[in-house]
Amino acid sequence: MTNRFLPLLALVLLATGASSQAQIRVALAAERSTFLLYEPMVITVQLANSSGERIVLNSGPSDRPWLSFLVRSVDGRKIRSEQPLSLDPVILEPGQSRLLSVDLTPLYAIRETGQYTVQASVQPPGRQAYLTDGLAISVGKGETLWTKSYVDGGSKRVVSLIRFMDRKDVSLYLRVEEPQENLVYSTVRLGKFVAFTSPQVELDAQRGIHIVHPVGARLYRYTRANAEGSVIQQEDRESGTSQPALAARPGGQVEFVGGVEQKQQTERPRLSELQQGI
């Protein structure tokens, strides 16, 4: 585990067998302690076998997951689970460690800004469940810089760009939602936000989303996302004889023009693929 996780660790030592030497260390961590409402809230669980024997973690006959989470608001209210966590068995040989990444956003109904505490519960086979100490996180609202709505299939869809500051950085986010249906398709971080600048946004004929915004001195980032807000492509260009910008083309198409290309365009992996850890 890298040093950036150390301030956020919540540790617990578990007895997982009849022998006092059969022990597993569990650490709960997050890269950040502050999140924008509805963005992926990825929690990392580190498991380490400090015993001299193999430890097998599985759901057992009851099908109850061996790993679960308890999320509470600052006033102690338990946040309900919206879908179960699907887990494969984990086998830890003596001295072996394992990292698991879990996105809590689709799993728990965190629908309000405020302070929350997250605990991991580990259920070794044949033993009682154990809770880690609480990991404190904060969920904020951010500032809407740009928004556009349109009707899709009878429902009003809203596309927004949001400025959000965590404890270290100010970032630009893209959110796509249908407020009347209480449905948020995505809340995705696009990169660093430079103060006193305005992003350029265009929707193409297929409702694809195109965004250009500064990420540094003379450096601009282009993002292309689909109608649900899933990022398909990102590219950085530096200002040269012309400034990078969006240009409308015939047929409702949008093109990224100008500037000096910093790297070749790449297809970006889906967020779900990047965060698969279980």
Side-chain angles (χ1 to χ4, degrees):
M1 178 173 293
T2 58
N3 290 335
R4 62 182 177 179
F5 287 160
L6 293 180
L8 301 176
L9 290 180
L11 301 175
V12 65
L13 187 64
L14 308 181
T16 60
S19 169
S20 61
Q21 295 181 347
Q23 295 175 334
I24 179 172
R25 293 198 309 273
V26 181
L28 188 63
E31 291 191 31
R32 292 184 285 133
S33 61
T34 306
F35 297 87
L36 177 63
L37 184 64
Y38 302 125
E39 78 162 300
M41 188 180 297
V42 180
I43 302 298
T44 300
V45 181
Q46 182 184 36
L47 305 168
N49 183 355
S50 60
S51 74
E53 60 188 57
R54 170 186 286 191
I55 296 176
V56 179
L57 297 172
N58 56 38
S59 298
S62 65
D63 289 332
R64 177 180 176 180
W66 60 264
L67 173 65
S68 60
F69 295 89
L70 177 63
V71 183
R72 294 185 183 275
S73 61
V74 69
D75 59 2
R77 176 172 51 90
K78 183 179 178 180
I79 306 302
R80 64 180 174 85
S81 173
E82 292 198 317
Q83 58 178 282
L85 178 61
S86 178
L87 296 167
D88 292 329
V90 169
I91 299 175
L92 295 173
E93 300 295 343
Q96 185 180 15
S97 298
R98 177 81 179 271
L99 287 176
L100 305 177
S101 295
V102 181
D103 181 6
L104 298 183
T105 298
L107 300 177
Y108 293 88
I110 302 174
R111 301 291 180 263
E112 299 176 354
T113 60
Q115 306 293 320
Y116 294 86
T117 300
V118 179
Q119 293 175 280
S121 174
V122 175
Q123 175 73 70
R127 307 288 294 185
Q128 71 180 66
Y130 295 84
L131 281 174
T132 66
D133 292 336
L135 178 66
I137 58 174
S138 176
V139 177
K141 184 178 181 180
E143 175 190 359
T144 300
L145 301 178
W146 176 93
T147 187
K148 183 179 181 64
S149 61
Y150 62 89
V151 176
D152 179 64
S155 298
K156 181 181 178 181
R157 183 169 296 190
V158 179
V159 181
S160 303
L161 290 182
I162 301 170
R163 173 187 177 272
F164 181 69
M165 181 174 63
D166 60 26
R167 297 184 185 276
K168 295 181 180 180
D169 302 304
V170 181
S171 301
L172 183 68
Y173 284 78
L174 168 66
R175 177 178 291 160
V176 179
E177 60 186 324
E178 291 184 8
Q180 295 176 342
E181 302 296 329
N182 196 28
L183 176 62
V184 178
Y185 287 99
S186 61
T187 300
V188 183
R189 182 181 183 274
L190 304 181
K192 180 180 178 181
F193 177 81
V194 178
F196 309 111
T197 63
S198 298
Q200 184 184 6
V201 193
E202 296 287 349
L203 302 185
D204 62 31
Q206 291 75 41
R207 305 297 190 184
I209 307 164
H210 303 258
I211 305 162
V212 172
H213 75 285
V215 292
R218 298 172 53 84
L219 187 63
Y220 292 77
R221 176 163 298 165
Y222 166 66
T223 300
R224 178 167 64 94
N226 64 18
E228 284 72 43
S230 295
V231 174
I232 300 171
Q233 175 190 354
Q234 285 192 313
E235 178 188 346
D236 290 348
R237 290 187 187 180
E238 188 175 4
S239 293
T241 56
S242 61
Q243 179 175 304
L246 297 176
R249 298 304 188 206
Q253 300 305 304
V254 177
E255 186 178 350
F256 182 38
V257 299
V260 179
E261 187 173 344
Q262 296 296 295
K263 58 182 178 180
Q264 292 185 347
Q265 296 183 11
T266 57
E267 294 297 314
R268 175 169 168 166
R270 293 181 180 273
L271 188 61
S272 59
E273 295 174 356
L274 292 173
Q275 295 175 349
Q276 284 178 353
I278 296 179

